[in-house]
Amino acid sequence: MRAVIVDCAIYRDGRRTDGPADFSDALAEARATGDAFLWLGLHEATAKEFELVSSEFGLHPLAVEDSLTAHQRPKLEVYDDSLFVVLKPVQYDDENDIVTSGELMVFIGDSFVVTVRHGEGSPLTAVRQRLEAEPEVLKHGPTSVLYAVSDAVVDDYIEVAGELQVDLEELEEEVFTPSGGDGGSRSSGSGSGPGSVAPTAERIYNFKRQVMEFRRATGPLAGPMARLAGPGVQFVDAGSQPFFRDVNDHLLHANEQVEGLDRLLSDILSAHLAQMGVRQNGDMRKISAWAAMAAVPTMVAGIYGMNFEHMPELTYVWAYPAVIAFMAVVVFGLHRAFKRRGWL
């Protein structure tokens, strides 16, 4: 258990106090005093390691199963003995243009908070330190921990959305360059090697996949945050509603940013495809113009290449240079005409 326990501490009146090293004894002490609670933090706990925790804290079996199974949607479940919240913290790798999400589960019950983290993203050490520096918030009990964790996760959403917006503006500028964005100046996050250039359409599609991954984290969390911001949620302090409303407002802002990113990506992809269509039409006009200019000398040469004995102008001395000059004049005239029309 020591390998998965990140931290275990008793908090009384908003301040960290010394307590038993064993979390079972610490929980008993927190419940005995009545004015304290235990915060136990776990990372990558296995089923066997979490079995003792679930039995000591009386966690619901369904919630325990969800906490051990990755890829859960953000949600809020209220059981008889505990409150269970699932959050999905996200991180953005700007170097490779990849959005990664983790798993963060929070159990709240009688004088305890248990946080279970999966993945490398969003460590809670900074959240715990910030709370310990704000005893006025921490003295509200386990609810303050849920608020601080939710606030940190949603703040990360807004930060990641801002980073995505910057990269999207760069991609938009690339698409609307005079060259039309035939390629990107940066490597995409789809496995391209260093210095490789991915086609712009592929980069847009990969970017859209990252936004979709981001949306899986932010979208489903709107319902649970709205419930926490309202009254009547068991194990949640009634005075905490304004704090959760603030978190909910930030989450709504993050969701609006995600929606805007997705719409803008669709518009950029449509504009890029339209540009490619216009460019292909221009290429076809050029090919048609050159084919028309090549058809005239081909036709004349084909006629005079036929082996007939009686053909006009064969006996004239100037027939050959006259035919060559005629072909040159016709091709030059066609070239001028296509040039004026913008086909060349």
Side-chain angles (χ1 to χ4, degrees):
M1 286 300 299
R2 292 185 180 275
V4 300
I5 295 178
V6 179
D7 200 352
C8 178
I10 297 176
Y11 295 90
R12 182 176 290 106
D13 196 25
R15 300 187 181 278
R16 183 169 182 150
T17 61
D18 295 331
D22 183 78
F23 69 84
S24 300
D25 297 336
L27 177 62
E29 179 178 322
R31 286 176 171 172
T33 58
D35 60 346
F37 71 94
L38 172 69
W39 182 359
L40 176 65
L42 305 177
H43 179 233
E44 300 286 1
T46 63
K48 184 177 180 179
E49 293 167 335
F50 201 70
E51 182 179 356
L52 179 60
V53 176
S54 61
S55 61
E56 287 291 335
F57 289 87
L59 306 179
H60 196 278
L62 292 178
V64 172
E65 181 181 355
D66 289 341
S67 66
L68 295 174
T69 306
H71 310 297
Q72 295 291 324
R73 285 169 56 89
K75 63 180 180 179
L76 167 66
E77 298 287 349
V78 181
Y79 299 101
D80 293 336
D81 299 324
S82 62
L83 176 74
F84 178 58
V85 179
V86 179
L87 303 169
K88 290 183 73 70
V90 298
Q91 287 185 321
Y92 182 54
D93 183 0
D94 186 66
E95 188 72 20
N96 297 309
D97 298 345
I98 297 177
V99 173
T100 57
S101 61
E103 302 278 346
L104 182 57
M105 289 80 172
V106 182
F107 294 88
I108 292 181
D110 179 20
S111 302
F112 72 84
V113 177
V114 178
T115 55
V116 184
R117 185 167 58 89
H118 294 277
E120 298 300 324
S122 188
L124 298 180
T125 304
V127 176
R128 189 185 289 262
Q129 291 175 349
R130 189 183 70 183
L131 268 178
E132 290 176 355
E134 299 176 354
E136 290 299 320
V137 177
L138 193 57
K139 72 178 183 180
H140 288 87
T143 304
S144 63
V145 177
L146 177 59
Y147 157 71
V149 171
S150 303
D151 186 53
V153 170
V154 173
D155 285 346
D156 287 343
Y157 288 166
I158 296 178
E159 182 178 347
V160 170
E163 294 175 353
L164 286 171
Q165 181 66 42
V166 172
D167 285 354
L168 183 56
E169 289 174 359
E170 294 177 0
L171 182 60
E172 183 180 18
E173 182 179 356
E174 175 186 314
V175 169
F176 290 103
T177 54
S179 62
D182 290 328
S185 59
R186 301 171 52 191
S187 299
S188 71
S190 58
S192 301
S196 63
V197 177
T200 302
E202 181 182 348
R203 285 195 60 206
I204 297 173
Y205 178 73
N206 289 336
F207 209 120
K208 199 170 182 65
R209 289 183 59 185
Q210 304 312 314
V211 172
M212 184 178 297
E213 178 69 21
F214 192 15
R215 174 182 272 177
R216 290 194 187 102
T218 63
L221 188 58
M225 280 298 110
R227 287 183 61 187
L228 291 171
V233 180
Q234 192 176 0
F235 303 106
V236 177
D237 187 88
S240 65
Q241 294 175 13
F243 297 94
F244 284 110
R245 280 199 295 268
D246 181 67
V247 176
N248 190 46
D249 289 340
H250 292 172
L251 178 62
L252 292 175
H253 178 59
N255 279 323
E256 289 174 357
Q257 287 182 291
V258 174
E259 292 290 338
L261 289 171
D262 188 60
R263 287 195 302 268
L264 187 55
L265 275 169
S266 298
D267 294 341
I268 291 175
L269 181 59
S270 299
H272 175 67
L273 294 177
Q275 283 182 327
M276 296 302 295
V278 171
R279 189 174 299 108
Q280 288 175 353
N281 289 336
D283 293 340
M284 289 302 298
R285 286 198 301 266
K286 292 180 181 180
I287 294 172
S288 300
W290 286 110
M293 289 187 290
V296 174
T298 302
M299 179 187 66
V300 175
I303 292 174
Y304 280 89
M306 294 185 293
N307 295 321
F308 292 117
E309 182 178 354
H310 301 289
M311 292 185 68
E313 293 89 25
L314 288 180
T315 58
Y316 294 127
V317 176
W318 297 100
Y320 180 77
V323 170
I324 297 299
F326 171 76
M327 290 190 293
V329 170
V330 172
V331 170
F332 179 74
L334 289 174
H335 185 274
R336 290 290 302 274
F338 290 139
K339 197 75 172 178
R340 285 197 300 268
R341 291 176 177 270
W343 285 34
L344 294 174

